[in-house]
Structures are given as structure tokens and as C-alpha cells.
Amino acid sequence: MSSEMIIRRYRPSDQDVVTDLWSRAARQAHPFLDGEGAGERARLLREVDLVRAENWVAERKGSVIGLLGLRADGPEGGDGPGAEVGGLFVAPEAQGGGAGRELLEHAAALHGALTLEVFEGNARGRRFCAYLGFTERGRRTDEETGHPLITLERAAPLKSVGWLHLREGRLLSVRTRGNDTFYLPGGKYEPGETAREALSRELGEELGLVVPAEELSEECVIHDVAHGKNGRRLHMTCFTGGPQDIAPVPGREIAEYAWFDRQEARERCAPAHAQVVDRLVAQGRMRG
């Protein structure tokens, strides 16, 4: 069975395993709270939170390892006005494996901007949120426990598309005029476009290539810090497909294009390239 992580909707049949991982994770994160992970708080999780919230789980090798509960302000599927994270819990034995990050990035892809509250005493949770670009918006005292809570927020990620095109193990990259950093061919969506339509248009504008949207196949989604955007997050959907024997003709915004090996890509390209290159190396499509 694949070791790839799956993010999916919570199902009622998940209740027992989700309640168990929540209990263990909550006790680990909040040792300063009496009765955490049990009693009335467990009842509210089962009877209220798992019923009323928009809940998602992370699953790996058939086992549920993470839970995310959302209170959305806008419609699912969004770029809407955002969502509040009511709870994020990862089984202690699965922490550090990316489940929490993937759940939060999934929420951002659906709803855009995110807010959440974390107990001041949860130092690990605060570091995790800071790593993912959340900043403090305010503080309050939790009426139930008397402990201070910190309200954190993060702007909606920039959504873009990129094309993974390799020639003899080297990755095609482009540089815009006035910029010394290379990026994957692609760019931002125009209103009403699908990801494939956006990439098809961008490849025509940037490199003079005719790549029909229906020939593009989604390869992966990259979450990283957007280069030159003051720490704002990037949500980049990457595609393969289209013609392999190409003769790019740079458009007016493109200064040059190049095919880079692993080392050159890491040295000359935007941060998101590192994740792309790591995937391609792992797949044997680029040399390590």
C-alpha cells in the first residue's frame, strides 16, 4: 500500500480512532489543563465538534493519524473569506511527519485565510504555527480554563500553476525580466480559469508553446514560502504532459529560459523548486 498521505472528509466510522488520537495529542499539547483529553471535553468532541464542524482527517497506510476541525466563514471550495481552525490534532507517534502541515494547507486551499487560537503554554504548537507563517493578532483568557490563548492568523496563499518539463534529466525554468531568480514555467490564475486552463495560457504567453489544457496531468501540489512576497505562502499545482520536443520562444516578460540540473536548480531557482527537485530525484527523473 502506498505511503502517500491522504486528506479526506471525516466519516462517522472514524469516531473511535479520532477520539483516541485527539485524547493522546491533547494531553501531550496541554499538560497544564486538568482532565484534558477525557470527560466532558471528550463528550463535546464526539457529540458537538465531530457533528457540527467541517472535519477532515489525514490518513497514511490506511490509518487515521490527524484531525482538523474548521468553522468556515465562506463556502467550501473557496478563495472565500476564510475559515477558523477549531482544532488540529496529530497522533503523537505521527508528529513530525507532515500531517499537521498538510491538513492546514488543505484548509487554506479550500478557504483561503486562516485563523486559530493556541494556548500560550503550548510552546510546540506556537512554534509549528510560526513555521507555517501564522502571526499573532490578539490575546484573551479562556473562560473555561483560565489560561491565556493567543489568536493567530495567516493570509490566503498565493495560488499558482507550474509545468514540470524535463530534458535529459534537466528541469526547464524561466526568468522574468528584472529578476535574477528562475521559476517553473506557469503563473497565476485568471478569473474563472481552472488550473489546467491557467497553465495552458501561461505556457503560450511565456514560451510561445501550444499545450492544450486536456493534455496536462496533475503531478503534485507544492506548499512553500512565495519568493519575494514577504513570507506569504504559496500553493502551486504542478502538471506534466504536453509535447516533449519543444522550441520555446520567450514572451515579452521572459528574459530567458534554461534547463537546470539538481544543483543549478537549487542555487538559481525559487524556494519551491527545492521540493519539486526532491520529488523528481526520488522518482529517478533527475540525478541526485
Side-chain angles (χ1 to χ4, degrees):
M1 185 176 296
S2 171
S3 62
E4 287 294 318
M5 193 178 307
I6 297 171
I7 306 297
R8 63 166 174 82
R9 277 282 198 174
Y10 165 83
R11 298 190 289 255
S13 58
D14 298 320
Q15 185 187 93
D16 289 346
V17 68
V18 159
T19 301
D20 174 67
L21 79 81
W22 164 83
S23 177
R24 293 183 292 119
R27 289 198 302 270
Q28 181 187 70
H30 310 141
F32 45 85
L33 298 184
D34 292 336
E36 177 66 314
E40 179 65 8
R41 293 173 75 86
R43 185 191 70 80
L44 289 174
L45 174 78
R46 292 191 303 270
E47 299 180 10
V48 179
D49 297 335
L50 293 179
V51 175
R52 298 181 184 176
E54 177 190 329
N55 293 298
W56 297 85
V57 299
E59 182 180 284
R60 177 176 279 149
K61 296 185 179 179
S63 297
V64 174
I65 58 173
L67 170 69
L68 172 75
L70 295 172
R71 292 187 284 269
D73 297 321
E76 182 179 327
D79 292 343
E84 179 185 355
V85 178
L88 174 65
F89 300 93
V90 176
E93 65 274 13
Q95 291 178 11
R101 175 178 58 82
E102 290 297 325
L103 283 164
L104 279 177
E105 298 296 1
H106 179 75
L110 290 175
H111 298 291
L114 299 176
T115 61
L116 58 82
E117 289 187 313
V118 60
F119 280 106
E120 185 179 51
N122 183 2
R124 183 174 182 178
R126 290 167 57 194
R127 289 194 299 270
F128 171 73
C129 292
Y131 171 73
L132 289 182
F134 284 83
T135 57
E136 182 174 336
R137 189 178 74 184
R139 294 179 178 238
R140 70 179 181 89
T141 299
D142 181 42
E143 294 182 0
E144 180 183 355
T145 66
H147 286 267
L149 282 165
I150 303 173
T151 302
L152 303 173
E153 64 182 0
R154 195 182 81 174
L158 295 171
K159 297 183 71 173
S160 70
V161 289
W163 194 38
L164 305 184
H165 185 84
L166 291 154
R167 174 178 290 179
E168 298 179 350
R170 301 172 74 89
L171 183 63
L172 178 63
S173 304
V174 297
R175 181 176 66 83
T176 56
R177 299 187 186 281
N179 196 334
D180 60 0
T181 301
F182 282 79
Y183 302 84
L184 290 178
K188 299 177 183 177
Y189 299 65
E190 294 288 348
E193 285 183 326
T194 67
R196 286 177 175 82
E197 290 168 346
L199 183 54
S200 177
R201 174 186 51 76
E202 287 282 355
L203 292 176
E205 294 174 356
E206 291 186 349
L207 296 172
L209 301 177
V210 178
V211 183
E214 59 270 19
E215 293 186 9
L216 295 167
S217 299
E218 183 174 330
E219 173 81 10
C220 61
V221 176
I222 300 297
H223 304 291
D224 211 315
V225 177
H227 180 70
K229 299 296 182 181
N230 297 317
R232 192 168 176 184
R233 300 293 293 184
L234 172 70
H235 176 103
M236 181 171 63
T237 306
C238 297
F239 293 86
T240 57
Q244 295 304 300
D245 185 14
I246 61 173
V249 179
R252 63 177 184 176
E253 294 183 358
I254 302 301
E256 62 177 319
Y257 64 88
W259 275 271
F260 290 135
D261 63 18
R262 173 182 176 273
Q263 187 62 36
E264 291 167 329
R266 286 186 174 276
E267 292 175 351
R268 303 190 64 184
C269 297
H273 264 63
Q275 289 192 53
V276 171
V277 169
D278 287 344
R279 286 175 177 269
L280 295 172
V281 169
Q283 294 167 359
R285 296 159 68 187
M286 290 184 75
R287 293 182 180 177

